[in-house]
Amino acid sequence: MSKYLLNKFLYTVDRDPDLVERYREDPRGTVEWWESEYANRILNCHGGERSTWLAFEENERAALASHDYPALFDLGAHPFLTLTLFIAMFERDYDEPLGVQLEYARRLSDRKLPYPDIAT
């Protein structure tokens, strides 16, 4: 399991409005594309700098592809990164103020301390 890679996905997608929309509309395709194109890019380096060893495990890929943020939380994805990305993707689908945030809290309300370690 790579919490680093999960968080890198959430971080990079959340900062690009086109990727946010792509992930909203085609989550599985976006995860597969991002994993093959971006997972092994080294942050803050030019395109030629790449690693070769980073890949999602199947449970990580499945949680990302199904927008399953409780599973991502359990896998150690940073809750701030999941929350901000899911607000960007789904806030428009709620009529009530703070709808995404309230749904997020409701779906994670059964989690008890200690929470999963979010250190990378």
Side-chain angles (χ1 to χ4, degrees), residues 5-120:
L5 195 59
L6 282 176
N7 289 323
K8 184 177 176 182
F9 175 87
L10 297 168
Y11 179 85
T12 57
V13 171
D14 189 37
R15 272 131 193 90
D16 183 330
D18 293 333
L19 283 179
V20 169
E21 290 306 310
R22 182 176 182 167
Y23 184 45
R24 175 185 161 95
E25 298 302 322
D26 181 18
R28 182 167 306 281
T30 304
V31 170
E32 291 170 357
W33 169 81
W34 188 92
E35 187 175 15
S36 69
E37 294 294 320
Y38 282 88
N40 287 296
R41 285 189 185 175
I42 298 172
L43 290 177
N44 299 322
C45 291
H46 62 80
E49 292 287 326
R50 296 179 66 84
S51 175
T52 58
W53 64 275
L54 291 173
F56 292 122
E57 291 186 6
E58 190 51 44
N59 60 341
E60 296 166 328
R61 197 174 291 112
L64 287 168
S66 62
H67 295 152
D68 188 351
Y69 53 85
L72 292 169
F73 179 86
D74 293 338
L75 290 167
H78 196 287
F80 180 74
L81 294 174
T82 56
L83 179 59
T84 59
L85 177 55
F86 282 81
I87 289 170
M89 289 194 309
F90 297 115
E91 182 175 44
R92 67 192 99 164
D93 297 338
Y94 289 83
D95 294 327
E96 65 188 90
L98 301 175
V100 174
Q101 293 89 327
L102 294 170
E103 178 69 11
Y104 186 93
R106 185 189 66 73
R107 290 190 59 202
L108 293 174
S109 66
D110 64 333
R111 303 318 193 270
K112 305 292 181 221
L113 292 173
Y115 294 141
D117 179 14
I118 58 172
T120 51

